[in-house]
Amino acid sequence: MRHFEEGSLKSSVEDRLDQFSAFHKAISDNKGDESEVAQSLIVASYLDHQVRLILEGFVLDRKKIKDALFEGPTAPMGSFSSRILAAYSLGLITKEEHESLTAIRQIRNEFAHKITTSFEVEKMTPFFDKLAWAAGRDKIGELDRSEVLFLASIRLAMAFVNRADHVAVERRTTKEWPDHPIDADMDPDFDPLSLIY
């Protein structure tokens, strides 16, 4: 199996599991009220990277194209938001994954705009509602929001560990499309609209 990381190929399942373990440890160490900022940043950063790997596994395998798509302030897939949308619109992530990633991005953004905010403020409620699936809706009252984010991020991370490999099976390649010469000397009864279909 191949693993795509920042444009380079790795073949080790152990490498992927090591990255997942490091992520798991980082969010476990930063779980709780005193570390909400850290938890939201770690979760968003790791999942953003995973979505990028999924997209890199799907697009043409050319460094110049990947750099243009993912690097720099004007790159069309340079932000977490644009990557989530691209991955969903290309069918690389599910609707539930799309909604969960979007909620995680919004939680992170709340801290980016107001670092003194908290998971418990009312504005966060709709974001955490989108993550309720991870804990089971019947458990929501029993878990604090830090635990809900933890469970959702772990479940998403596990779903994405090998997604880039699966997506790469359907990697885009340059295609040759049929072309039809348009000639002024064509048969006068020829219908040019037939070239469209």
Side-chain angles (χ1 to χ4, degrees):
M1 287 276 200
R2 300 192 303 172
H3 177 60
F4 300 87
E5 182 175 16
E6 300 299 339
S8 66
L9 293 176
K10 286 188 167 190
S11 59
S12 173
V13 172
E14 289 78 18
D15 287 338
R16 279 174 275 179
L17 294 177
D18 285 348
Q19 289 173 8
F20 175 81
S21 294
F23 166 67
H24 185 276
K25 181 176 181 348
I27 60 170
S28 297
D29 292 348
N30 287 285
K31 193 169 63 166
D33 292 341
E34 71 284 353
S35 303
E36 290 177 352
V37 176
Q39 187 183 6
S40 63
L41 292 176
I42 292 166
V43 166
S45 177
Y46 181 82
L47 293 173
D48 181 13
H49 181 67
Q50 295 306 305
V51 175
R52 176 179 172 156
L53 296 178
I54 291 166
L55 287 163
E56 285 184 358
F58 190 69
V59 300
L60 292 175
D61 194 15
R62 297 201 178 103
K63 183 178 182 339
K64 198 177 228 183
I65 290 171
K66 288 180 183 178
D67 287 349
L69 286 174
F70 298 105
E71 300 296 332
T74 60
M77 294 184 203
S79 69
F80 193 17
S81 176
S82 61
R83 289 174 190 167
I84 294 168
L85 180 59
Y88 181 55
S89 66
L90 292 169
L92 306 179
I93 61 174
T94 67
K95 181 175 189 269
E96 190 171 72
E97 290 166 348
H98 170 263
E99 289 176 354
S100 298
L101 289 167
T102 299
I104 288 167
R105 180 187 62 78
Q106 290 168 317
I107 292 166
R108 180 209 58 190
N109 286 356
E110 285 301 311
F111 283 103
H113 295 299
K114 189 175 180 186
I115 202 161
T116 58
T117 193
S118 159
F119 288 165
E120 301 308 319
V121 300
E122 186 62 31
K123 192 169 185 182
M124 294 283 199
T125 299
F127 309 146
F128 280 95
D129 285 349
K130 293 289 186 185
L131 303 178
W133 63 270
R137 297 198 183 277
D138 57 322
K139 302 278 187 199
I140 290 305
E142 300 172 22
L143 301 174
D144 66 31
R145 288 181 173 176
S146 179
E147 292 170 312
V148 171
L149 179 61
F150 175 82
L151 289 172
S153 63
I154 289 294
R155 290 188 65 182
L156 287 167
M158 289 174 64
F160 294 157
V161 164
N162 292 317
R163 184 75 57 89
D165 291 332
H166 296 291
V167 164
V169 173
E170 298 181 32
R171 180 186 289 283
R172 300 298 82 195
T173 58
T174 304
K175 289 187 170 193
E176 296 299 324
W177 297 98
D179 58 350
H180 301 280
I182 297 179
D183 190 337
D185 296 330
M186 281 184 180
D187 177 351
D189 295 329
F190 181 77
D191 179 8
L193 290 177
S194 67
L195 296 176
I196 298 172
Y197 303 102

